[in-house]
mmCIF file of all heavy atoms in Angstrom:
data_model
loop_
_atom_site.group_PDB
_atom_site.id
_atom_site.type_symbol
_atom_site.label_atom_id
_atom_site.label_comp_id
_atom_site.label_asym_id
_atom_site.label_seq_id
_atom_site.Cartn_x
_atom_site.Cartn_y
_atom_site.Cartn_z
ATOM 1 N N LEU A 7 74.012 -133.872 50.362
ATOM 2 C CA LEU A 7 73.271 -134.070 49.123
ATOM 3 C C LEU A 7 74.151 -134.568 47.991
ATOM 4 O O LEU A 7 73.749 -135.419 47.218
ATOM 5 C CB LEU A 7 72.573 -132.768 48.718
ATOM 6 C CG LEU A 7 71.743 -132.809 47.438
ATOM 7 C CD1 LEU A 7 70.620 -133.826 47.568
ATOM 8 C CD2 LEU A 7 71.181 -131.445 47.122
ATOM 9 N N TRP A 8 75.380 -134.063 47.865
ATOM 10 C CA TRP A 8 76.249 -134.501 46.759
ATOM 11 C C TRP A 8 76.463 -135.992 46.793
ATOM 12 O O TRP A 8 76.542 -136.642 45.763
ATOM 13 C CB TRP A 8 77.575 -133.748 46.767
ATOM 14 C CG TRP A 8 78.452 -134.047 47.943
ATOM 15 C CD1 TRP A 8 78.495 -133.379 49.128
ATOM 16 C CD2 TRP A 8 79.389 -135.106 48.051
ATOM 17 N NE1 TRP A 8 79.401 -133.958 49.971
ATOM 18 C CE2 TRP A 8 79.971 -135.025 49.339
ATOM 19 C CE3 TRP A 8 79.799 -136.121 47.204
ATOM 20 C CZ2 TRP A 8 80.935 -135.914 49.788
ATOM 21 C CZ3 TRP A 8 80.765 -137.007 47.647
ATOM 22 C CH2 TRP A 8 81.318 -136.893 48.931
ATOM 23 N N ARG A 9 76.541 -136.582 47.981
ATOM 24 C CA ARG A 9 76.772 -138.025 48.093
ATOM 25 C C ARG A 9 75.561 -138.802 47.596
ATOM 26 O O ARG A 9 75.703 -139.738 46.801
ATOM 27 C CB ARG A 9 77.081 -138.392 49.530
ATOM 28 C CG ARG A 9 77.587 -139.810 49.666
ATOM 29 C CD ARG A 9 78.003 -140.084 51.074
ATOM 30 N NE ARG A 9 78.986 -139.096 51.458
ATOM 31 C CZ ARG A 9 80.113 -139.357 52.081
ATOM 32 N NH1 ARG A 9 80.405 -140.573 52.413
ATOM 33 N NH2 ARG A 9 80.950 -138.404 52.396
ATOM 34 N N SER A 10 74.357 -138.417 48.010
ATOM 35 C CA SER A 10 73.161 -139.131 47.555
ATOM 36 C C SER A 10 72.906 -138.879 46.073
ATOM 37 O O SER A 10 72.446 -139.764 45.354
ATOM 38 C CB SER A 10 71.940 -138.745 48.391
ATOM 39 O OG SER A 10 71.687 -137.367 48.318
ATOM 40 N N THR A 11 73.248 -137.676 45.581
ATOM 41 C CA THR A 11 73.092 -137.385 44.157
ATOM 42 C C THR A 11 74.042 -138.253 43.345
ATOM 43 O O THR A 11 73.669 -138.820 42.322
ATOM 44 C CB THR A 11 73.343 -135.891 43.868
ATOM 45 O OG1 THR A 11 72.444 -135.120 44.656
ATOM 46 C CG2 THR A 11 73.141 -135.572 42.407
ATOM 47 N N GLY A 12 75.273 -138.393 43.804
ATOM 48 C CA GLY A 12 76.232 -139.260 43.128
ATOM 49 C C GLY A 12 75.742 -140.695 43.058
ATOM 50 O O GLY A 12 75.830 -141.353 42.015
ATOM 51 N N ARG A 13 75.199 -141.195 44.155
ATOM 52 C CA ARG A 13 74.662 -142.564 44.158
ATOM 53 C C ARG A 13 73.506 -142.696 43.184
ATOM 54 O O ARG A 13 73.362 -143.720 42.522
ATOM 55 C CB ARG A 13 74.232 -142.956 45.568
ATOM 56 C CG ARG A 13 75.377 -143.396 46.446
ATOM 57 C CD ARG A 13 74.881 -144.093 47.696
ATOM 58 N NE ARG A 13 74.114 -143.214 48.550
ATOM 59 C CZ ARG A 13 74.604 -142.556 49.586
ATOM 60 N NH1 ARG A 13 75.859 -142.681 49.912
ATOM 61 N NH2 ARG A 13 73.843 -141.779 50.314
ATOM 62 N N SER A 14 72.663 -141.664 43.093
ATOM 63 C CA SER A 14 71.526 -141.713 42.162
ATOM 64 C C SER A 14 72.000 -141.883 40.725
ATOM 65 O O SER A 14 71.324 -142.495 39.909
ATOM 66 C CB SER A 14 70.687 -140.436 42.266
ATOM 67 O OG SER A 14 70.061 -140.371 43.522
ATOM 68 N N PHE A 15 73.191 -141.342 40.419
ATOM 69 C CA PHE A 15 73.759 -141.450 39.075
ATOM 70 C C PHE A 15 74.817 -142.552 38.993
ATOM 71 O O PHE A 15 75.666 -142.545 38.121
ATOM 72 C CB PHE A 15 74.353 -140.098 38.647
ATOM 73 C CG PHE A 15 73.297 -139.118 38.218
ATOM 74 C CD1 PHE A 15 72.598 -138.375 39.153
ATOM 75 C CD2 PHE A 15 72.991 -138.960 36.881
ATOM 76 C CE1 PHE A 15 71.622 -137.480 38.768
ATOM 77 C CE2 PHE A 15 72.019 -138.062 36.479
ATOM 78 C CZ PHE A 15 71.328 -137.320 37.430
ATOM 79 N N ARG A 16 74.769 -143.484 39.956
ATOM 80 C CA ARG A 16 75.669 -144.647 39.997
ATOM 81 C C ARG A 16 77.146 -144.256 40.065
ATOM 82 O O ARG A 16 77.991 -144.859 39.429
ATOM 83 C CB ARG A 16 75.404 -145.570 38.810
ATOM 84 C CG ARG A 16 73.978 -146.093 38.802
ATOM 85 C CD ARG A 16 73.717 -147.010 37.614
ATOM 86 N NE ARG A 16 72.279 -147.020 37.380
ATOM 87 C CZ ARG A 16 71.707 -146.581 36.277
ATOM 88 N NH1 ARG A 16 72.427 -146.150 35.273
ATOM 89 N NH2 ARG A 16 70.402 -146.615 36.151
ATOM 90 N N GLN A 17 77.439 -143.234 40.855
ATOM 91 C CA GLN A 17 78.817 -142.776 41.047
ATOM 92 C C GLN A 17 79.087 -142.688 42.545
ATOM 93 O O GLN A 17 78.500 -141.860 43.234
ATOM 94 C CB GLN A 17 79.029 -141.422 40.375
ATOM 95 C CG GLN A 17 78.834 -141.496 38.877
ATOM 96 C CD GLN A 17 78.919 -140.143 38.217
ATOM 97 O OE1 GLN A 17 79.733 -139.318 38.575
ATOM 98 N NE2 GLN A 17 78.072 -139.934 37.220
ATOM 99 N N ALA A 18 79.951 -143.554 43.037
ATOM 100 C CA ALA A 18 80.217 -143.620 44.473
ATOM 101 C C ALA A 18 80.938 -142.380 44.997
ATOM 102 O O ALA A 18 80.650 -141.905 46.089
ATOM 103 C CB ALA A 18 81.038 -144.865 44.792
ATOM 104 N N HIS A 19 81.887 -141.843 44.219
ATOM 105 C CA HIS A 19 82.682 -140.704 44.682
ATOM 106 C C HIS A 19 82.839 -139.680 43.564
ATOM 107 O O HIS A 19 83.926 -139.508 43.010
ATOM 108 C CB HIS A 19 84.056 -141.179 45.162
ATOM 109 C CG HIS A 19 83.985 -142.192 46.245
ATOM 110 N ND1 HIS A 19 83.625 -141.880 47.539
ATOM 111 C CD2 HIS A 19 84.186 -143.530 46.237
ATOM 112 C CE1 HIS A 19 83.621 -142.972 48.274
ATOM 113 N NE2 HIS A 19 83.957 -143.986 47.508
ATOM 114 N N PRO A 20 81.757 -138.966 43.235
ATOM 115 C CA PRO A 20 81.884 -137.972 42.160
ATOM 116 C C PRO A 20 82.776 -136.814 42.603
ATOM 117 O O PRO A 20 82.804 -136.463 43.787
ATOM 118 C CB PRO A 20 80.445 -137.498 41.949
ATOM 119 C CG PRO A 20 79.768 -137.735 43.253
ATOM 120 C CD PRO A 20 80.422 -138.966 43.820
ATOM 121 N N PRO A 21 83.528 -136.219 41.666
ATOM 122 C CA PRO A 21 84.348 -135.054 42.032
ATOM 123 C C PRO A 21 83.460 -133.943 42.579
ATOM 124 O O PRO A 21 82.476 -133.562 41.942
ATOM 125 C CB PRO A 21 84.987 -134.634 40.710
ATOM 126 C CG PRO A 21 84.802 -135.771 39.779
ATOM 127 C CD PRO A 21 83.617 -136.546 40.254
ATOM 128 N N THR A 22 83.782 -133.466 43.785
ATOM 129 C CA THR A 22 82.926 -132.495 44.461
ATOM 130 C C THR A 22 83.764 -131.457 45.198
ATOM 131 O O THR A 22 84.768 -131.783 45.805
ATOM 132 C CB THR A 22 82.008 -133.208 45.485
ATOM 133 O OG1 THR A 22 81.231 -134.179 44.803
ATOM 134 C CG2 THR A 22 81.088 -132.233 46.192
ATOM 135 N N LEU A 23 83.314 -130.227 45.134
ATOM 136 C CA LEU A 23 83.907 -129.133 45.889
ATOM 137 C C LEU A 23 82.826 -128.605 46.822
ATOM 138 O O LEU A 23 81.717 -128.283 46.369
ATOM 139 C CB LEU A 23 84.369 -128.023 44.941
ATOM 140 C CG LEU A 23 84.844 -126.735 45.593
ATOM 141 C CD1 LEU A 23 86.132 -126.982 46.365
ATOM 142 C CD2 LEU A 23 85.026 -125.654 44.548
ATOM 143 N N VAL A 24 83.115 -128.547 48.116
ATOM 144 C CA VAL A 24 82.151 -128.067 49.112
ATOM 145 C C VAL A 24 82.763 -126.885 49.852
ATOM 146 O O VAL A 24 83.901 -126.967 50.312
ATOM 147 C CB VAL A 24 81.783 -129.175 50.122
ATOM 148 C CG1 VAL A 24 80.781 -128.664 51.151
ATOM 149 C CG2 VAL A 24 81.224 -130.403 49.408
ATOM 150 N N VAL A 25 82.009 -125.789 49.938
ATOM 151 C CA VAL A 25 82.453 -124.612 50.688
ATOM 152 C C VAL A 25 81.333 -124.169 51.626
ATOM 153 O O VAL A 25 80.169 -124.475 51.401
ATOM 154 C CB VAL A 25 82.861 -123.442 49.753
ATOM 155 C CG1 VAL A 25 84.059 -123.826 48.904
ATOM 156 C CG2 VAL A 25 81.705 -123.012 48.875
ATOM 157 N N ARG A 26 81.718 -123.458 52.675
ATOM 158 C CA ARG A 26 80.734 -122.892 53.609
ATOM 159 C C ARG A 26 80.841 -121.374 53.568
ATOM 160 O O ARG A 26 81.935 -120.823 53.517
ATOM 161 C CB ARG A 26 80.984 -123.380 55.028
ATOM 162 C CG ARG A 26 80.653 -124.836 55.203
ATOM 163 C CD ARG A 26 80.329 -125.111 56.665
ATOM 164 N NE ARG A 26 80.050 -126.498 56.865
ATOM 165 C CZ ARG A 26 78.835 -127.027 56.783
ATOM 166 N NH1 ARG A 26 77.807 -126.280 56.511
ATOM 167 N NH2 ARG A 26 78.655 -128.306 56.987
ATOM 168 N N THR A 27 79.689 -120.728 53.624
ATOM 169 C CA THR A 27 79.660 -119.273 53.667
ATOM 170 C C THR A 27 79.932 -118.822 55.102
ATOM 171 O O THR A 27 79.885 -119.637 56.027
ATOM 172 C CB THR A 27 78.293 -118.737 53.202
ATOM 173 O OG1 THR A 27 77.307 -119.103 54.174
ATOM 174 C CG2 THR A 27 77.918 -119.277 51.831
ATOM 175 N N PRO A 28 80.191 -117.532 55.312
ATOM 176 C CA PRO A 28 80.411 -117.046 56.682
ATOM 177 C C PRO A 28 79.227 -117.342 57.619
ATOM 178 O O PRO A 28 79.416 -117.464 58.816
ATOM 179 C CB PRO A 28 80.620 -115.543 56.511
ATOM 180 C CG PRO A 28 81.179 -115.410 55.130
ATOM 181 C CD PRO A 28 80.473 -116.477 54.330
ATOM 182 N N ARG A 29 78.023 -117.491 57.072
ATOM 183 C CA ARG A 29 76.852 -117.803 57.910
ATOM 184 C C ARG A 29 76.572 -119.303 57.972
ATOM 185 O O ARG A 29 75.488 -119.728 58.329
ATOM 186 C CB ARG A 29 75.622 -117.070 57.395
ATOM 187 C CG ARG A 29 75.752 -115.584 57.603
ATOM 188 C CD ARG A 29 74.477 -114.908 57.267
ATOM 189 N NE ARG A 29 74.606 -113.494 57.546
ATOM 190 C CZ ARG A 29 73.591 -112.689 57.649
ATOM 191 N NH1 ARG A 29 72.370 -113.146 57.474
ATOM 192 N NH2 ARG A 29 73.782 -111.423 57.899
ATOM 193 N N ARG A 30 77.540 -120.105 57.566
ATOM 194 C CA ARG A 30 77.502 -121.567 57.678
ATOM 195 C C ARG A 30 76.602 -122.261 56.659
ATOM 196 O O ARG A 30 76.318 -123.440 56.795
ATOM 197 C CB ARG A 30 77.125 -122.023 59.092
ATOM 198 C CG ARG A 30 77.953 -121.424 60.206
ATOM 199 C CD ARG A 30 79.306 -121.992 60.370
ATOM 200 N NE ARG A 30 79.247 -123.412 60.653
ATOM 201 C CZ ARG A 30 80.194 -124.268 60.326
ATOM 202 N NH1 ARG A 30 81.261 -123.851 59.726
ATOM 203 N NH2 ARG A 30 80.094 -125.535 60.613
ATOM 204 N N ALA A 31 76.139 -121.549 55.639
ATOM 205 C CA ALA A 31 75.417 -122.216 54.563
ATOM 206 C C ALA A 31 76.421 -123.041 53.760
ATOM 207 O O ALA A 31 77.600 -122.704 53.703
ATOM 208 C CB ALA A 31 74.731 -121.196 53.659
ATOM 209 N N GLN A 32 75.976 -124.111 53.171
ATOM 210 C CA GLN A 32 76.862 -124.984 52.408
ATOM 211 C C GLN A 32 76.545 -124.891 50.924
ATOM 212 O O GLN A 32 75.385 -124.869 50.531
ATOM 213 C CB GLN A 32 76.669 -126.425 52.881
ATOM 214 C CG GLN A 32 77.592 -127.422 52.226
ATOM 215 C CD GLN A 32 77.467 -128.788 52.840
ATOM 216 O OE1 GLN A 32 77.798 -128.982 53.995
ATOM 217 N NE2 GLN A 32 76.978 -129.738 52.071
ATOM 218 N N LEU A 33 77.585 -124.828 50.114
ATOM 219 C CA LEU A 33 77.452 -124.821 48.660
ATOM 220 C C LEU A 33 78.350 -125.926 48.126
ATOM 221 O O LEU A 33 79.522 -126.000 48.491
ATOM 222 C CB LEU A 33 77.886 -123.471 48.086
ATOM 223 C CG LEU A 33 77.931 -123.374 46.570
ATOM 224 C CD1 LEU A 33 76.523 -123.464 45.989
ATOM 225 C CD2 LEU A 33 78.623 -122.106 46.130
ATOM 226 N N ALA A 34 77.788 -126.801 47.299
ATOM 227 C CA ALA A 34 78.571 -127.902 46.735
ATOM 228 C C ALA A 34 78.429 -127.905 45.226
ATOM 229 O O ALA A 34 77.349 -127.671 44.686
ATOM 230 C CB ALA A 34 78.095 -129.236 47.304
ATOM 231 N N ALA A 35 79.525 -128.164 44.553
ATOM 232 C CA ALA A 35 79.531 -128.346 43.100
ATOM 233 C C ALA A 35 80.004 -129.772 42.841
ATOM 234 O O ALA A 35 81.081 -130.165 43.295
ATOM 235 C CB ALA A 35 80.457 -127.344 42.431
ATOM 236 N N THR A 36 79.190 -130.552 42.129
ATOM 237 C CA THR A 36 79.484 -131.957 41.872
ATOM 238 C C THR A 36 79.429 -132.225 40.377
ATOM 239 O O THR A 36 78.486 -131.795 39.709
ATOM 240 C CB THR A 36 78.457 -132.865 42.585
ATOM 241 O OG1 THR A 36 78.472 -132.573 43.979
ATOM 242 C CG2 THR A 36 78.771 -134.332 42.372
ATOM 243 N N GLU A 37 80.411 -132.934 39.854
ATOM 244 C CA GLU A 37 80.408 -133.317 38.437
ATOM 245 C C GLU A 37 79.815 -134.714 38.312
ATOM 246 O O GLU A 37 80.314 -135.671 38.905
ATOM 247 C CB GLU A 37 81.828 -133.323 37.879
ATOM 248 C CG GLU A 37 81.864 -133.732 36.424
ATOM 249 C CD GLU A 37 83.267 -133.814 35.860
ATOM 250 O OE1 GLU A 37 84.239 -133.603 36.601
ATOM 251 O OE2 GLU A 37 83.377 -134.085 34.664
ATOM 252 N N LEU A 38 78.718 -134.812 37.564
ATOM 253 C CA LEU A 38 78.068 -136.093 37.318
ATOM 254 C C LEU A 38 78.191 -136.418 35.838
ATOM 255 O O LEU A 38 77.918 -135.574 34.999
ATOM 256 C CB LEU A 38 76.591 -136.038 37.716
ATOM 257 C CG LEU A 38 76.338 -135.719 39.180
ATOM 258 C CD1 LEU A 38 74.862 -135.490 39.418
ATOM 259 C CD2 LEU A 38 76.850 -136.836 40.066
ATOM 260 N N ARG A 39 78.592 -137.632 35.533
ATOM 261 C CA ARG A 39 78.783 -138.038 34.138
ATOM 262 C C ARG A 39 77.903 -139.245 33.837
ATOM 263 O O ARG A 39 77.815 -140.153 34.648
ATOM 264 C CB ARG A 39 80.230 -138.412 33.896
ATOM 265 C CG ARG A 39 81.181 -137.250 34.140
ATOM 266 C CD ARG A 39 82.568 -137.685 33.839
ATOM 267 N NE ARG A 39 82.701 -137.786 32.386
ATOM 268 C CZ ARG A 39 83.583 -137.125 31.682
ATOM 269 N NH1 ARG A 39 84.416 -136.321 32.279
ATOM 270 N NH2 ARG A 39 83.645 -137.265 30.384
ATOM 271 N N CYS A 40 77.297 -139.216 32.678
ATOM 272 C CA CYS A 40 76.506 -140.341 32.178
ATOM 273 C C CYS A 40 76.988 -140.616 30.760
ATOM 274 O O CYS A 40 76.373 -140.173 29.793
ATOM 275 C CB CYS A 40 75.015 -140.007 32.181
ATOM 276 S SG CYS A 40 74.377 -139.610 33.802
ATOM 277 N N ASP A 41 78.109 -141.309 30.642
ATOM 278 C CA ASP A 41 78.734 -141.523 29.342
ATOM 279 C C ASP A 41 78.215 -142.744 28.598
ATOM 280 O O ASP A 41 78.394 -142.851 27.400
ATOM 281 C CB ASP A 41 80.250 -141.647 29.507
ATOM 282 C CG ASP A 41 80.886 -140.337 29.939
ATOM 283 O OD1 ASP A 41 80.339 -139.276 29.580
ATOM 284 O OD2 ASP A 41 81.908 -140.368 30.637
ATOM 285 N N ARG A 42 77.602 -143.677 29.293
ATOM 286 C CA ARG A 42 77.129 -144.901 28.649
ATOM 287 C C ARG A 42 75.854 -144.663 27.860
ATOM 288 O O ARG A 42 74.932 -144.001 28.324
ATOM 289 C CB ARG A 42 76.850 -145.980 29.690
ATOM 290 C CG ARG A 42 78.076 -146.652 30.217
ATOM 291 C CD ARG A 42 77.740 -147.926 30.981
ATOM 292 N NE ARG A 42 76.507 -147.896 31.724
ATOM 293 C CZ ARG A 42 76.424 -147.692 33.029
ATOM 294 N NH1 ARG A 42 77.508 -147.486 33.732
ATOM 295 N NH2 ARG A 42 75.266 -147.697 33.640
ATOM 296 N N THR A 43 75.783 -145.248 26.687
ATOM 297 C CA THR A 43 74.538 -145.231 25.920
ATOM 298 C C THR A 43 73.530 -146.098 26.667
ATOM 299 O O THR A 43 73.883 -147.145 27.204
ATOM 300 C CB THR A 43 74.779 -145.807 24.507
ATOM 301 O OG1 THR A 43 75.779 -145.020 23.876
ATOM 302 C CG2 THR A 43 73.517 -145.786 23.691
ATOM 303 N N GLY A 44 72.284 -145.665 26.730
ATOM 304 C CA GLY A 44 71.257 -146.440 27.421
ATOM 305 C C GLY A 44 71.464 -146.460 28.923
ATOM 306 O O GLY A 44 71.205 -147.461 29.577
ATOM 307 N N PHE A 45 71.914 -145.362 29.497
ATOM 308 C CA PHE A 45 72.211 -145.272 30.933
ATOM 309 C C PHE A 45 70.997 -145.662 31.768
ATOM 310 O O PHE A 45 71.113 -146.269 32.805
ATOM 311 C CB PHE A 45 72.671 -143.854 31.285
ATOM 312 C CG PHE A 45 73.116 -143.687 32.701
ATOM 313 C CD1 PHE A 45 74.386 -144.074 33.091
ATOM 314 C CD2 PHE A 45 72.274 -143.139 33.649
ATOM 315 C CE1 PHE A 45 74.811 -143.919 34.401
ATOM 316 C CE2 PHE A 45 72.684 -142.976 34.955
ATOM 317 C CZ PHE A 45 73.954 -143.365 35.331
ATOM 318 N N GLY A 46 69.806 -145.308 31.293
ATOM 319 C CA GLY A 46 68.583 -145.676 32.006
ATOM 320 C C GLY A 46 68.200 -144.680 33.074
ATOM 321 O O GLY A 46 68.846 -143.657 33.278
ATOM 322 N N LYS A 47 67.129 -145.001 33.760
ATOM 323 C CA LYS A 47 66.580 -144.117 34.787
ATOM 324 C C LYS A 47 67.480 -144.124 36.024
ATOM 325 O O LYS A 47 67.931 -145.174 36.467
ATOM 326 C CB LYS A 47 65.183 -144.608 35.149
ATOM 327 C CG LYS A 47 64.411 -143.699 36.042
ATOM 328 C CD LYS A 47 62.996 -144.230 36.220
ATOM 329 C CE LYS A 47 62.214 -143.368 37.158
ATOM 330 N NZ LYS A 47 60.862 -143.896 37.364
ATOM 331 N N THR A 48 67.732 -142.939 36.570
ATOM 332 C CA THR A 48 68.511 -142.831 37.795
ATOM 333 C C THR A 48 67.603 -143.075 38.993
ATOM 334 O O THR A 48 66.379 -143.030 38.892
ATOM 335 C CB THR A 48 69.152 -141.433 37.920
ATOM 336 O OG1 THR A 48 68.126 -140.459 37.948
ATOM 337 C CG2 THR A 48 70.112 -141.171 36.778
ATOM 338 N N SER A 49 68.204 -143.320 40.136
ATOM 339 C CA SER A 49 67.441 -143.460 41.378
ATOM 340 C C SER A 49 66.959 -142.081 41.813
ATOM 341 O O SER A 49 67.590 -141.075 41.486
ATOM 342 C CB SER A 49 68.317 -144.044 42.483
ATOM 343 O OG SER A 49 68.839 -145.281 42.098
#
Side-chain angles (χ1 to χ4, degrees):
L7 180 61
W8 67 268
R9 191 174 304 226
S10 59
T11 303
R13 280 194 296 264
S14 293
F15 283 82
R16 300 180 202 117
Q17 297 175 39
H19 302 287
T22 302
L23 172 67
V24 180
V25 296
R26 290 205 182 269
T27 68
R29 292 188 177 196
R30 308 284 300 151
Q32 184 173 294
L33 174 67
T36 303
E37 179 183 3
L38 300 172
R39 299 182 73 122
C40 300
D41 292 330
R42 283 194 325 259
T43 301
F45 185 81
K47 188 175 178 182
T48 60
S49 302

